[in-house]
């Protein structure tokens, strides 16, 4: 009954990551706050009234990244600005996506982990993480578990995190080939994606990865399209002479990307437009990435 | 002749102060605003204050069968919950027509309509309390289609009928002129709902004075009219209700209607403690009026050589649930529905109707925006039909001084329509070569990285706009200012006092500039605006610098007379031989000051209050819409250059050039600010800004989904100010705030049409509208 509730919020400020993990087990209803760029909006609109906040924003140990064995491990405190300023060559698609996020202020505060935990179908980090086959590392008092990005999202704004779990880091393979990210918004900056698409070539394995945003209940891969492209490039000998891709191959890929989507009509745009735009973006990003690959030489990576 | 002489003495005594009229001294509010330290109304606080909140209708149309406040009252910290029965005075209010319930009585007409108000010790408690107020609604089917409302088919929303006003203008004889037209074009153009999108939400603080009266600190555009309405609702004499203007975070017309005013005062008076109210962003979208969405049918007849023969326009504005300013918005839209052109035969029918959509009212441009978009679109369509250059078509029909408006009024004052267009036409076009590796920010889609030049086409478009400045139609509009001069620290200082509302446009700075120019006094303080002085009128209709500028100038002249009178007595000279200069009191031509102002005044204060009136006007008649309704006209033109990605429907406005006659740039930087801001708002209407309303529900009440242009959406602007002095105004100035919002929108849409060849009958133009393959039936609806 409303009469007995008090309007305040409890605020927990752990001193270390280990304390944070322990506090989360003790207070499973506590809501983590990092950059606050999603959470504070929800609080202001009274969309959520968490009883307890668990502040992670000051934990320097989370604001780190580490490169080892061809993988970059991004701590849960790593911001878009960090990615843009320091990781552009290792994680080009994620950097391109980071550049489209909000404004400088939002990029300075907002974290990749926060984006993942919010699990919006429109989150801009998601398509690049899908295309590059990233892994989300989560932790609780029960231990650490690694969740492949493709299994992380379970529905619109839902993910696999258990009430006692926190995101500790994200492991992203370093680029071994050209990557692209493209995002349609109705404004030229500071805009939630109407639809987005990421593509990453892994040259040594001759594989392309894909990620689609804002065109299904969760961010998704276009697995069919990727398999088609892998097959066609191999079969037609494109990897041998890296000639320009035929319109047939490009369209075949783009049609399959579009077919993978399951968009809805909403205030940001109609479903039909999203499918159409996805096809166009898939076509364009594939051409850009392939021509970069052809220019740089296949063995450059 | 007499007027001429008066002007000469005025000019003779003016000083050329380095921070006077025509200069751009730093604005007192600017550093604070940039640093985030400016106190907006939402920052107000006082010891012991409570927080107010509003229970709003969740239905576009319903009968209220009961309200139960007991559960809300039971919440600890809740001080009071008030409903319509608690309104002490008039239960209805309105800026023009008192038809809007202070709190809904037996019915609600739109989603968001206030039904009850609460006060509590904490904003969160207040928020919980409004959720605990139980209102029983009998939901009814809403009427949200303005055509249906106009047809009279559905049932009545307003007891007086669903048409808020029909404006009928007849000029010449269209039916006989039709046969003389060699080329005819017809089009229907629609515009969506634009929000003023001010960043500072509605906010105010009401403080009871302990003897039944109240002080209200509030963000507003016109505190005197607000006071009139508040006092009536409170059942108090206006003298017992005092308003003080608080920091206004933008207005654009959206603060002409009341928001928190009456509610905060009711709560404060009921519980005898100060009450603060601030709307949150979502609430703000229904807590203020929007620009009327429009459907405008235009038929233009012309000769082969391009001369316009007739124009027939039907306008339909959806006014939403209550009247607000709809009756004068539709008048203003209708006055200028034939554009800035000379047309001898004109038939205009303008309708504003009631629906169950949120109320629409004043917004920068005030109806002329929608009309300009429609007529300027039709002009490009006509140019296409004639195979004529669209600028040439405009120039050959552009209205000139002495030409008659459709309302029969002769256009007077500077009318540089051709100069504006000629200037824009002569400007070199930006380079259209895309270079490899182009900065993404210069491409459609921006950093979204959607194109590297693929499918990008360029277009160029022009538009010309015209609107009346100040209040039209027989209103005796006034502004009041008091200027006082005294001595502080051995130097003369001046204070200027008016109720003019600073909404960000710069009226505070301009008032000080005028005093410096008129009296040569460097140190000028502008007092906060409140209702203890006389009315200054609204910061609306591009009128405030003209009206309050006139009042301040008049007050300065009064003060100067008093000073010279005193000096003449002291010096034993004739007053006519003396002038007031920054160095002191002198005789013209002599180098030495006879007397320093500080010595003359000693401990005295000399002050004068002046009430400025503009020239009289008259309302238009009901039958043919004829009358000399306007005090002045202002003109602006834009040229837009756009790049369109025709596959994705994304746009980059490459350049927006504009030319505007401002009469006199009182503060050139502020004038440019108005022009850039107004143009940005026009760009927003062209490409982005739309409150999406479905069956009466606002779908995008946030700045996440109601998109206004960012710095990356606004191109560099080439702004050319023309300064043709206006004969009737202080310093020859003309109103500058609204004209840029008129022509910017159609210039951009005409550029999009030029780029794509599409009709684009509706703004904002959405990505889907720009993709030929996705293009629907081309109808302007929805
Ligand atoms: C003006 C504005 C513009 C924006 N533009 C974009 C945009 O262009 N693209 C985009 O994708 N997003 C955008 N956002 C949304 C937001 O900035 C991003 O989603 C950002 O990545 C969120 O990160 P954060 O650190 O601020 O998260 P927070 O708000 O701190 O948290 C978000 C959610 O994640 C949870 N959380 C945080 N850290 C952890 C953790 N370590 N473990 C488990 N759960 C955790 C929180 O409990 C919360 O539910 C924008 C937001 C604003 C306000």
């Amino acid at each position: 009954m409303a009469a007995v509730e008090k309007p305040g919020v409890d605020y927990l400020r752990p001193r270390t990551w280990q304390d944070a993990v322990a506090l989360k087990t003790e207070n499973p209803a506590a809501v983590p706050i990092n950059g606050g760029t999603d959470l504070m909006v929800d609080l202001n609109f009274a969309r959520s009234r968490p009883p307890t906040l668990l502040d992670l924003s000051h934990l320097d140990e989370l604001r780190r990244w580490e490169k080892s064995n061809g993988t970059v491990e991004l701590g849960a405190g790593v911001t878009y600005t960090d990615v843009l300023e320091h990781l552009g060559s290792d994680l080009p698609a994620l950097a391109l996506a980071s550049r489209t996020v909000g404004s400088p202020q939002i990029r300075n505060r907002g974290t990749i982990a926060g984006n993942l935990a919010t699990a919006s179908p429109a989150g801009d980090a998601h398509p690049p993480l899908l295309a590059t086959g990233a892994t989300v590392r989560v932790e609780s008092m029960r231990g650490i578990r690694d969740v492949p990005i493709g299994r992380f999202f379970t529905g619109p704004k839902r993910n696999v995190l258990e009430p006692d779990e926190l995101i500790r880091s994200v492991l992203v393979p370093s680029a071994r080939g050209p990557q692209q990210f493209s995002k349609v918004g109705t404004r030229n900056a500071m805009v939630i994606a109407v639809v987005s698409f990421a593509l990453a070539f892994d040259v040594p394995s001759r594989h392309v990865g894909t990620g689609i945003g804002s065109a299904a209940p969760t961010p998704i891969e276009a697995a069919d399209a990727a398999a088609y492209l892998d097959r066609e490039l191999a079969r037609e000998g494109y990897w041998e002479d890296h000639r320009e891709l035929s319109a047939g191959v490009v369209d075949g890929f783009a049609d399959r990307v579009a077919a993978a989507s399951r968009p809805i009509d909403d205030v940001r745009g109609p479903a039909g437009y999203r499918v159409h735009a996805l096809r166009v973006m898939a076509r364009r990003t594939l051409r850009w990435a392939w021509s970069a690959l052809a220019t740089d030489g296949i063995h450059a990576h | 002749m007499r007027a001429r002489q008066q002007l000469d003495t005025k000019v003779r005594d003016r000083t050329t102060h380095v921070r006077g009229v025509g200069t751009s001294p730093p604005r007192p509010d600017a550093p604070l605003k940039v640093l985030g330290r400016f106190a907006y109304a939402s920052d107000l606080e006082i010891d012991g204050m409570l927080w107010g909140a509003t229970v709003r209708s969740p239905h576009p149309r319903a009968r209220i069968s009961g309200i139960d406040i007991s559960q809300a009252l039971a919440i600890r910290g809740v001080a009071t919950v008030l409903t319509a029965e608690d309104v002490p005075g008039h239960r209805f209010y309105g800026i023009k027509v008192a038809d809007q319930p202070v709190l809904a009585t037996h019915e609600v007409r739109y989603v968001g309509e206030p039904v009850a108000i609460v006060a509590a010790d904490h904003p969160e408690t207040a928020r919980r309390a409004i959720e605990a107020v139980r209102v029983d609604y009998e939901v009814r089917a809403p009427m949200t289609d303005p055509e249906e409302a106009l047809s009279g088919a559905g049932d009545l929303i307003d007891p007086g009928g669903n048409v808020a006003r029909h404006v009928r203008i007849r000029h010449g004889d269209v039916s006989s002129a039709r046969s003389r037209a060699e080329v005819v074009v017809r089009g229907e153009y629609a515009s969506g709902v634009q929000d003023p999108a001010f960043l500072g939400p509605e906010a105010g603080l009401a403080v009871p004075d302990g003897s039944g009266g109240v002080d209200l600190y509030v963000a507003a555009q016109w505190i005197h009219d607000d006071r009139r309405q508040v006092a009536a609702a409170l059942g108090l004499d206006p003298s017992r209700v005092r308003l003080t203007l608080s920091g206004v975070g933008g207005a654009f017309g959206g603060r002409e209607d009341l928001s928190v005013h009456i509610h905060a005062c009711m709560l404060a008076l009921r519980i005898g403690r100060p009450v603060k109210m601030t709307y949150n962003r979502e609430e703000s979208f229904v807590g203020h009026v929007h620009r009327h969405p429009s459907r405008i049918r235009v038929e233009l007849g012309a000769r082969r050589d391009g001369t316009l023969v007739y124009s027939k326009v039907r306008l339909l504005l959806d006014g939403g649930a209550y009247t607000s300013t709809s009756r004068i918005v539709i008048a203003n839209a209708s006055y200028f529905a034939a554009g800035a052109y000379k047309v001898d035969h004109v038939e205009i029918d303008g309708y504003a109707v009631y629906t169950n959509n949120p109320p629409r009212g004043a917004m920068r441009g005030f109806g002329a925006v929608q009309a300009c978009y429609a007529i300027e679109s039709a002009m490009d369509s006509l140019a296409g039909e004639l195979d004529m250059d669209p600028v040439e078509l405009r120039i050959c029909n552009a209205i000139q001084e002495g030409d008659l408006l459709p309302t029969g009024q002769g256009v007077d004052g500077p009318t540089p329509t051709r100069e504006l267009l000629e200037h824009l036409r002569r400007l070199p076009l930006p380079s259209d070569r895309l270079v490899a590796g182009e900065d993404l920010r210069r491409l459609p889609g921006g950093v979204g990285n959607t194109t590297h030049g693929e499918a990008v086409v360029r277009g160029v478009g022009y538009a010309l706009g015209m609107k009346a400045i100040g209040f039209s139609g027989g209103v005796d509009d006034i502004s009041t200012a008091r200027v006082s001069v005294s001595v502080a620290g051995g130097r003369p200082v001046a204070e200027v006092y008016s109720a003019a509302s600073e909404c960000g446009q710069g009226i505070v700075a301009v008032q000080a500039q005028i005093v410096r120019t008129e009296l040569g006094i460097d140190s000028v303080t502008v007092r906060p605006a409140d209702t203890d002085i006389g009315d200054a009128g609204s910061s609306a209709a591009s009128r405030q610098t003209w009206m309050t500028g006139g009042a301040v100038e008049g007050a300065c002249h009064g003060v100067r007379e008093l000073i010279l009178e005193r000096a003449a007595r002291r010096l034993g000279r004739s007053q006519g031989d003396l002038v007031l200069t920054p160095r002191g009191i002198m005789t013209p031509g002599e180098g030495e000051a006879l007397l320093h102002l500080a010595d003359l005044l000693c401990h005295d204060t000399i002050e004068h209050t002046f009430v400025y009136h503009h020239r009289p006007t008259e309302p238009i008649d009901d039958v043919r819409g004829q009358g000399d309704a306007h005090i002045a006209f202002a003109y602006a033109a834009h040229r837009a250059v756009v790049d369109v990605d025709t596959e994705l429907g994304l746009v980059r406005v490459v350049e927006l050039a504009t030319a505007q006659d401002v009469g006199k740039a009182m503060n050139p930087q502020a004038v440019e600010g108005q022009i850039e801001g107004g143009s940005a708002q026009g760009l927003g209407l062209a490409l982005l800004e739309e409150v999406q309303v479905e069956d009466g529900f606002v779908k995008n009440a946030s700045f996440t989904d109601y998109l206004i242009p960012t710095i990356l959406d606004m191109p560099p602007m080439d702004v050319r100010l023309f300064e043709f002095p206006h004969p009737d105004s202080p310093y020859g100035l003309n109103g500058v705030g609204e004209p840029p919002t008129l022509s910017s929108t159609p210039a951009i849409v005409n550029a999009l049409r030029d780029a794509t060849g599409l009709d684009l009958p509706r703004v904002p133009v959405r990505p889907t509208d720009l993709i030929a393959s996705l293009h629907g039936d081309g109808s302007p609806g929805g």
Side-chain angles (χ1 to χ4, degrees):
Chain A
M1 177 62 233
V4 295
E5 276 177 40
K6 59 180 168 39
V9 180
D10 286 330
Y11 174 74
L12 303 175
R13 189 181 162 89
R15 240 173 295 156
T16 63
W17 169 249
Q18 282 319 317
D19 287 354
V21 172
L23 282 169
K24 185 66 172 139
T25 294
E26 285 165 33
N27 306 273
V31 173
I33 176 163
N34 216 321
T37 59
D38 274 324
L39 196 64
M40 291 311 295
V41 176
D42 276 0
L43 296 187
N44 278 334
F45 275 99
R47 282 186 205 127
S48 78
R49 287 178 172 138
T52 309
L53 290 181
L54 176 62
D55 191 353
L56 308 177
S57 62
H58 58 285
L59 296 177
D60 288 341
E61 58 201 298
L62 295 183
R63 184 88 194 256
R64 293 202 194 117
W65 56 91
E66 223 160 88
K67 302 180 196 175
S68 61
N69 300 329
T71 297
V72 185
E73 182 172 3
L74 303 173
V78 170
T79 65
Y80 298 103
T81 301
D82 294 335
V83 173
L84 266 174
E85 289 183 355
H86 305 286
L87 296 165
S89 57
D90 286 292
L91 312 176
L94 190 60
L96 276 168
S98 298
R99 193 177 173 197
T100 73
V101 171
S103 57
Q105 295 91 327
I106 298 297
R107 294 194 287 272
N108 287 343
R109 295 285 307 183
T111 61
I112 310 290
N115 206 233
L116 281 167
T118 295
S120 158
D124 286 324
H126 309 150
L129 296 178
L130 283 162
T132 53
T135 303
V136 185
R137 181 160 286 173
V138 304
E139 186 170 343
S140 69
M141 293 299 280
R142 294 175 288 131
I144 289 178
R145 65 176 175 130
D146 283 348
V147 184
I149 182 76
R151 288 213 290 274
F152 183 78
F153 307 106
T154 55
K157 302 218 166 182
R158 277 182 286 136
N159 58 39
V160 298
L161 291 179
E162 297 291 339
D164 63 342
E165 284 180 324
L166 292 172
I167 297 175
R168 175 198 169 99
S169 61
V170 193
L171 294 97
V172 196
S174 288
R176 299 195 299 174
Q179 302 184 349
Q180 279 293 342
F181 172 80
S182 182
K183 160 176 161 184
V184 166
T186 32
R187 182 159 69 181
N188 286 335
M190 186 83 169
V191 69
I192 307 275
V194 173
V195 58
S196 62
F197 181 66
L199 166 155
F201 273 108
D202 188 60
V203 174
S205 68
R206 298 192 168 183
H207 170 67
V208 68
T210 55
I212 297 175
S214 280
T218 66
I220 53 170
E221 287 173 64
D224 255 11
Y228 164 84
L229 190 64
D230 287 352
R231 207 168 52 235
E232 289 301 303
L233 296 185
R235 204 183 59 187
E236 301 291 328
Y238 281 106
W239 287 108
E240 318 322 320
D241 57 10
H242 48 81
R243 65 188 187 278
E244 199 180 318
L245 298 179
S246 75
V249 169
V250 174
D251 289 344
F253 175 71
D255 289 345
R256 285 169 177 79
V257 169
S261 66
R262 280 173 293 138
I264 53 165
D265 291 328
D266 66 17
V267 292
R268 292 172 194 151
Y273 174 72
R274 290 186 156 107
V275 176
H276 166 87
L278 206 45
R279 188 178 287 117
V280 174
M281 291 193 294
R283 228 189 278 135
R284 290 183 185 173
T285 50
L286 174 57
R287 286 223 171 87
W288 299 335
W290 186 258
S291 78
L293 193 146
T295 319
D296 296 353
I298 290 176
H299 305 292
H301 289 276
Chain B
M1 193 60 220
R2 205 177 120 67
R4 187 79 250 158
Q5 270 170 9
Q6 273 180 356
L7 193 70
D8 286 344
T9 47
K10 271 188 187 178
V11 172
R12 189 199 70 182
D13 290 340
R14 277 180 197 159
T15 69
T16 48
H17 195 284
V18 288
R19 293 190 296 139
V21 166
T23 70
S24 305
R27 282 172 53 163
D29 50 337
L32 294 172
K33 283 177 174 169
V34 171
L35 294 169
R37 294 196 190 127
F38 184 83
Y40 291 97
S42 52
D43 299 317
L44 291 166
E45 55 182 273
I46 191 169
D47 284 349
M49 77 183 184
L50 299 176
W51 296 79
T54 313
V55 178
R56 295 180 181 276
S57 166
H59 305 293
R61 191 176 197 186
R63 264 188 226 298
I64 297 177
S65 49
I67 304 181
D68 177 3
I69 62 171
S70 57
Q71 288 186 37
L73 275 175
I75 296 176
R76 183 146 36 94
V78 171
T80 189
V81 181
L82 304 179
T83 64
E85 320 222 304
D86 302 300
V87 178
H90 282 297
R91 289 196 183 178
F92 296 86
Y93 74 97
I95 181 168
K96 296 293 162 192
V97 183
D99 67 341
Q100 194 155 353
V102 172
L103 292 167
T105 50
H106 58 285
E107 60 158 13
V108 286
R109 289 199 206 169
Y110 71 95
V111 175
E113 180 162 358
V115 177
I117 45 178
V118 309
D121 59 2
H122 189 278
E124 182 58 23
T125 315
R127 236 172 354 202
R128 289 176 191 206
I130 62 177
E131 288 167 16
V133 172
R134 291 195 44 95
V135 185
D136 292 324
Y137 294 102
E138 290 164 25
V139 177
R140 302 177 62 199
M143 159 126 61
T144 54
D145 177 5
E147 291 284 2
E148 192 189 330
L150 180 64
S151 75
D155 46 4
L156 293 184
I157 292 170
D158 192 86
N162 284 342
V163 177
R165 184 170 178 188
H166 172 199
V167 175
R168 193 170 182 274
I169 297 172
R170 297 292 182 272
H171 177 60
D173 181 1
V174 166
S175 33
S176 72
R178 269 213 171 97
S179 60
R180 293 195 295 278
E182 291 160 336
V183 178
V184 173
V185 293
R186 294 185 182 84
E188 179 166 335
Y189 303 95
S191 65
V193 181
Q194 189 176 26
D195 190 88
F198 42 69
L199 298 187
E202 292 78 359
L205 171 67
V207 184
D209 66 8
S211 52
V214 64
D215 284 280
L216 176 66
Y217 302 82
V218 70
Q221 287 181 251
W222 186 2
I223 51 178
H224 280 78
D225 198 70
D226 291 1
R227 172 167 77 166
R228 177 185 64 78
Q229 297 174 63
V230 172
L234 296 177
L236 290 175
D237 187 84
S239 65
R240 303 184 64 196
V241 179
R242 289 161 301 271
L243 267 69
T244 302
L245 185 74
S246 299
V248 183
F252 314 110
R255 293 189 212 268
E256 283 199 32
D257 293 81
L258 300 186
S259 59
V260 300
H261 308 51
I262 300 172
H263 297 160
C265 291
M266 276 175 62
L267 292 167
L269 287 172
R270 173 62 72 99
I271 56 190
R273 282 172 65 180
V275 171
K276 171 171 172 171
M277 293 185 86
T278 303
Y279 291 171
N280 69 30
R281 182 63 61 197
E282 203 169 358
E283 190 178 21
S284 177
F285 270 90
V286 292
H288 58 242
V289 295
H290 307 128
R291 190 188 293 294
H292 291 74
S294 68
R295 291 182 196 186
I296 303 180
R297 274 187 220 137
V298 185
E299 179 182 325
L300 292 180
R303 281 200 241 282
R304 271 259 147 249
D305 67 2
T307 314
L308 287 170
V309 177
Y310 74 92
S311 131
K312 182 171 158 59
V313 187
R314 189 213 71 158
L315 309 93
L316 175 57
L317 302 187
D318 177 354
Y322 293 101
T323 309
S324 179
T325 44
S326 280
R327 291 183 185 164
I328 45 178
V329 172
I330 187 60
N332 207 50
S334 304
Y335 295 145
F336 299 101
Y341 304 106
K342 176 181 186 307
V343 200
D344 293 334
H345 306 280
V346 182
E347 221 175 277
I348 294 167
D349 287 283
Y351 302 90
V353 295
Y354 298 110
T355 63
N356 291 114
N357 289 315
R360 280 71 188 251
M363 187 175 161
R364 197 175 194 170
F366 210 71
V369 164
Q370 296 92 320
C372 183
Y373 160 65
I375 185 68
E376 289 301 276
S377 297
M379 287 297 279
D380 262 35
S381 161
L382 178 62
E385 201 60 37
L386 291 165
D387 201 13
M388 194 169 168
D389 172 40
V391 183
E392 199 50 49
L393 176 66
R394 286 180 169 84
I395 287 177
C396 87
N397 289 290
I399 206 159
Q400 298 297 297
E401 194 168 351
D403 289 343
L404 291 188
L405 289 169
T407 48
Q409 179 171 357
V411 169
D412 63 348
T415 315
T417 45
R418 290 186 178 141
E419 287 86 338
L420 301 180
L421 290 164
E422 292 284 7
H423 166 77
L424 291 176
R425 174 156 73 172
R426 278 195 305 269
L427 283 180
L429 283 163
S431 151
D432 61 355
R433 287 221 323 279
L434 281 173
V435 291
E438 181 76 88
D439 184 338
L440 286 173
R441 290 173 296 185
R442 300 163 69 92
L443 289 163
V447 294
N449 189 36
T450 49
T451 181
H452 295 170
E454 294 92 339
V456 175
V457 294
R458 177 154 293 187
V460 180
Y462 290 83
L464 172 66
M466 167 184 194
K467 134 166 238 306
I469 295 303
F471 290 166
S472 298
V475 177
D476 180 16
D477 188 20
I478 62 157
S479 178
T480 314
R482 180 188 308 160
V483 170
S484 51
V485 174
S486 57
V487 180
R491 319 190 59 184
V493 294
E495 182 185 82
V496 52
Y497 179 25
S498 79
S501 177
E502 172 64 86
C503 306
Q505 80 274 34
I507 189 67
V508 166
V510 160
Q511 292 179 76
Q513 288 174 255
I514 291 173
V515 176
R516 291 193 199 104
T517 289
E518 293 302 330
L519 300 180
I521 294 174
D522 202 48
S523 168
V524 184
T525 309
V526 181
R527 257 176 74 164
D530 60 32
T531 51
D532 285 349
I533 187 167
D535 197 353
S538 189
S539 284
S542 304
R543 66 177 278 295
Q544 199 60 285
T545 298
W546 180 321
M547 297 298 297
T548 296
V552 173
E553 186 195 22
C556 287
H557 291 172
V559 165
R560 183 164 57 214
E561 288 307 301
L562 292 170
I563 290 173
L564 293 179
E565 210 177 283
R566 185 186 274 227
R569 267 201 316 270
R570 173 84 62 87
L571 296 168
R573 316 263 299 237
S574 133
Q575 193 180 326
D577 292 345
L578 300 175
V579 289
L580 177 64
T581 78
R583 281 179 293 151
I585 288 117
M586 318 194 359
T587 55
E590 272 175 38
E592 288 287 300
L594 302 171
L595 185 59
H596 291 293
L597 195 49
D599 298 331
L600 178 70
L601 294 179
C602 290
H603 300 294
D604 293 350
T605 297
I606 289 185
E607 68 176 35
H608 185 75
T609 303
F610 187 84
V611 180
Y612 181 89
H613 295 252
H614 63 52
R615 79 179 186 201
T617 63
E618 60 191 23
I620 59 168
D621 70 72
D622 289 341
V623 184
R624 291 184 64 84
Q626 300 295 295
D628 287 352
H630 309 299
I631 64 163
F633 309 97
Y635 308 86
H638 278 82
R639 182 185 77 186
V641 180
V642 301
D643 279 345
V644 184
D645 179 337
T646 55
E647 277 190 313
L648 290 175
L650 302 179
V651 175
R652 157 99 185 129
V653 181
V654 175
E655 191 197 78
L656 205 45
T658 185
Q660 182 171 332
D661 175 29
V662 302
K664 164 80 185 170
M666 299 291 284
N667 180 320
Q669 192 181 55
V671 168
E672 279 169 24
Q674 287 294 303
I675 291 174
E676 294 205 0
S679 301
Q681 225 154 10
L683 181 148
L685 179 59
L687 295 170
L688 299 168
E689 294 189 38
E690 179 169 17
V691 180
Q692 298 181 36
V693 186
E694 229 176 82
D695 302 324
F697 292 88
V698 173
K699 307 303 258 186
N700 57 336
S702 77
F703 286 145
T704 308
D705 286 312
Y706 183 88
L707 300 180
I708 55 179
T710 69
I711 192 83
L712 291 184
D713 297 281
M714 263 308 277
M717 281 200 69
D718 186 319
V719 177
R720 171 69 201 273
L721 305 182
F722 285 86
E723 296 187 272
F724 296 110
H726 203 284
D728 286 340
S729 68
Y731 307 93
L733 72 82
N734 205 348
V736 300
E738 293 174 292
T741 54
L742 268 61
S743 43
S744 46
T745 303
I748 291 167
V749 180
N750 283 337
L752 296 173
R753 292 174 176 127
D754 180 49
T756 62
L758 296 167
D759 282 344
L760 306 179
R762 182 190 186 283
V763 287
V765 178
R766 297 158 294 198
T768 43
D769 301 329
L770 288 167
I771 303 171
S773 64
L774 287 185
H775 218 222
D777 57 4
S779 78

